[in-house]
Coordinates of all heavy atoms in Angstrom, one line a residue:
T155 N 7.4 3.8 16.3 CA 6.9 4.5 17.4 C 8.0 5.6 17.8 O 9.3 5.2 18.0 CB 6.7 3.6 18.7 OG1 5.7 2.7 18.2 CG2 6.2 4.3 19.9
V156 N 7.6 6.8 18.1 CA 8.5 7.9 18.5 C 8.0 8.5 19.8 O 6.8 8.3 20.1 CB 8.8 9.0 17.6 CG1 9.4 8.4 16.2 CG2 7.4 9.7 17.1
T157 N 8.9 9.2 20.5 CA 8.5 9.8 21.8 C 8.1 11.3 21.7 O 9.1 12.0 21.3 CB 9.6 9.5 22.9 OG1 10.0 8.2 22.8 CG2 9.1 10.0 24.2
A158 N 6.9 11.7 21.9 CA 6.4 12.9 21.9 C 6.6 13.6 23.3 O 6.2 12.9 24.2 CB 5.0 13.1 21.3
C159 N 7.4 14.6 23.4 CA 7.6 15.3 24.8 C 6.8 16.6 24.8 O 6.9 17.3 23.9 CB 9.1 15.4 25.0 SG 10.1 13.9 24.8
Y160 N 6.3 17.0 25.9 CA 5.6 18.3 26.0 C 6.0 18.9 27.4 O 6.2 18.1 28.4 CB 4.0 18.0 26.2 CG 3.5 17.2 24.9 CD1 3.4 15.8 25.1 CD2 3.3 17.9 23.9 CE1 2.9 15.1 23.9 CE2 2.8 17.2 22.7 CZ 2.7 15.8 22.8 OH 2.2 15.2 21.6
K161 N 6.1 20.1 27.4 CA 6.5 20.9 28.6 C 5.9 22.2 28.6 O 5.8 23.0 27.6 CB 8.1 21.1 28.7 CG 8.6 21.7 29.9 CD 10.1 21.9 29.9 CE 10.5 22.5 31.2 NZ 12.0 22.5 31.3
A162 N 5.3 22.4 29.8 CA 4.5 23.9 29.9 C 5.6 24.8 30.2 O 6.3 24.7 31.0 CB 3.5 23.7 31.2
V163 N 5.5 26.0 29.3 CA 6.5 27.0 29.4 C 5.6 28.3 29.2 O 5.2 28.5 28.1 CB 7.6 26.9 28.5 CG1 8.6 28.0 28.4 CG2 8.2 25.5 28.5
D164 N 5.5 29.2 30.2 CA 5.0 30.5 30.0 C 3.7 30.6 29.5 O 3.3 31.3 28.5 CB 6.0 31.4 29.3 CG 7.3 31.7 30.0 OD1 7.3 31.7 31.3 OD2 8.3 31.9 29.4
G165 N 2.7 29.7 29.7 CA 1.3 29.5 29.3 C 1.2 28.8 28.0 O 0.2 28.8 27.3
W166 N 2.3 28.2 27.4 CA 2.3 27.5 26.2 C 2.8 26.1 26.5 O 3.3 25.8 27.6 CB 3.2 28.0 25.1 CG 2.8 29.3 24.6 CD1 2.8 30.6 25.1 CD2 2.2 29.5 23.4 NE1 2.3 31.5 24.4 CE2 1.9 30.9 23.3 CE3 1.7 28.7 22.3 CZ2 1.2 31.4 22.1 CZ3 1.2 29.2 21.1 CH2 0.9 30.7 21.1
F167 N 2.5 25.2 25.6 CA 3.0 23.8 25.7 C 4.1 23.6 24.6 O 3.8 23.7 23.4 CB 2.0 22.8 25.6 CG 1.3 22.6 26.8 CD1 0.0 23.3 26.9 CD2 1.5 21.6 27.9 CE1 -0.7 23.2 28.1 CE2 0.8 21.6 28.9 CZ -0.4 22.3 29.1
A168 N 5.4 23.5 24.9 CA 6.5 23.3 23.9 C 6.4 21.8 23.8 O 6.1 21.0 24.6 CB 7.8 23.4 24.5
A169 N 6.6 21.4 22.5 CA 6.5 20.0 21.9 C 7.6 19.6 21.1 O 7.9 20.4 20.2 CB 5.1 19.8 21.3
W170 N 8.2 18.4 21.3 CA 9.2 17.9 20.4 C 9.2 16.3 20.4 O 8.7 15.7 21.2 CB 10.6 18.4 20.8 CG 11.0 18.0 22.2 CD1 11.8 16.9 22.5 CD2 10.8 18.4 23.5 NE1 12.1 16.8 23.8 CE2 11.4 17.7 24.6 CE3 10.0 19.6 23.9 CZ2 11.2 18.0 25.8 CZ3 9.8 19.8 25.2 CH2 10.5 19.1 26.1
V171 N 9.8 15.8 19.2 CA 9.9 14.4 19.0 C 11.4 14.0 19.6 O 12.4 14.6 19.0 CB 9.7 13.9 17.7 CG1 10.1 12.5 17.5 CG2 8.2 14.3 17.3
E172 N 11.5 13.3 20.6 CA 12.9 13.0 21.3 C 13.9 12.4 20.3 O 15.0 12.7 20.4 CB 12.5 12.1 22.4 CG 13.7 11.8 23.4 CD 13.5 11.1 24.5 OE1 13.0 10.0 24.5 OE2 13.6 11.6 25.7
E173 N 13.4 11.5 19.5 CA 14.3 10.8 18.5 C 14.6 11.5 17.3 O 15.6 11.1 16.6 CB 13.7 9.4 18.2 CG 13.4 8.5 19.3 CD 12.2 8.8 20.1 OE1 11.3 9.7 19.7 OE2 11.9 7.9 21.1
I174 N 14.1 12.6 16.9 CA 14.3 13.3 15.6 C 14.6 14.7 15.9 O 13.6 15.5 16.1 CB 13.1 13.2 14.7 CG1 12.7 11.5 14.5 CG2 13.5 13.6 13.3 CD1 11.5 11.3 13.8
P175 N 15.8 15.2 15.9 CA 16.2 16.5 16.2 C 15.5 17.4 15.1 O 15.4 17.0 13.9 CB 17.6 16.6 16.0 CG 18.0 15.2 16.3 CD 16.9 14.3 15.8
G176 N 15.0 18.5 15.5 CA 14.4 19.4 14.6 C 12.9 19.4 14.5 O 12.2 20.2 13.9
V177 N 12.3 18.3 15.0 CA 10.8 18.2 15.0 C 10.2 18.7 16.3 O 10.3 18.0 17.3 CB 10.4 16.6 14.7 CG1 8.8 16.5 14.7 CG2 11.0 16.2 13.4
N178 N 9.8 19.9 16.2 CA 9.3 20.5 17.4 C 8.1 21.5 17.0 O 8.1 22.1 15.9 CB 10.4 21.2 18.3 CG 11.2 22.1 17.4 OD1 10.8 23.1 16.9 ND2 12.5 21.8 17.2
S179 N 7.4 21.8 18.0 CA 6.3 22.8 17.8 C 5.8 23.3 19.2 O 6.5 23.1 20.2 CB 5.1 22.1 17.1 OG 4.2 23.1 16.6
Q180 N 4.6 23.9 19.2 CA 4.2 24.5 20.5 C 2.6 24.7 20.2 O 2.1 24.6 19.1 CB 4.7 25.7 20.9 CG 4.5 27.0 19.9 CD 5.2 28.3 20.4 OE1 6.0 28.2 21.3 NE2 4.9 29.3 19.7
G181 N 1.9 24.8 21.3 CA 0.5 25.0 21.3 C 0.0 25.7 22.6 O 0.7 25.6 23.7
R182 N -1.0 26.4 22.6 CA -1.7 27.1 23.8 C -2.3 26.1 24.7 O -2.2 26.1 25.9 CB -2.8 27.9 23.4 CG -2.3 29.3 22.9 CD -2.0 30.2 24.0 NE -1.6 31.4 23.5 CZ -1.0 32.3 24.2 NH1 -0.6 32.2 25.5 NH2 -0.7 33.5 23.8
T183 N -2.7 24.9 24.2 CA -3.2 23.8 24.9 C -2.4 22.4 24.6 O -1.7 22.4 23.6 CB -4.7 23.5 24.5 OG1 -4.8 23.0 23.3 CG2 -5.5 24.7 24.9
L184 N -2.5 21.4 25.3 CA -1.8 20.2 25.1 C -2.3 19.6 23.8 O -1.4 19.1 22.9 CB -1.9 19.2 26.2 CG -1.2 17.9 26.2 CD1 0.2 18.2 26.0 CD2 -1.4 17.1 27.5
D185 N -3.6 19.6 23.6 CA -4.1 19.2 22.3 C -3.6 19.8 21.2 O -3.4 19.2 20.1 CB -5.6 19.2 22.4 CG -6.3 18.1 23.2 OD1 -5.6 17.0 23.6 OD2 -7.5 18.2 23.7
E186 N -3.6 21.2 21.2 CA -3.0 22.0 20.1 C -1.6 21.6 19.8 O -1.1 21.5 18.6 CB -3.3 23.4 20.3 CG -2.7 24.3 19.2 CD -2.9 25.8 19.4 OE1 -3.0 26.2 20.7 OE2 -3.1 26.5 18.4

């Protein structure tokens, strides 16, 4: 189990895995 983190930033959702540096992404919606 890892922790997925999401933060709304300028109309996008930034996303990253807390426990694994370098695993990050973004999307226009939370689902994306």
Side-chain angles (χ1 to χ4, degrees):
T155 300
V156 295
T157 308
C159 302
Y160 305 95
K161 183 176 183 177
V163 179
D164 296 329
W166 289 80
F167 285 90
W170 64 95
V171 173
E172 188 171 60
E173 297 84 0
I174 307 172
V177 178
N178 52 64
S179 193
Q180 65 183 10
R182 284 274 185 201
T183 66
L184 187 55
D185 285 340
E186 182 180 29

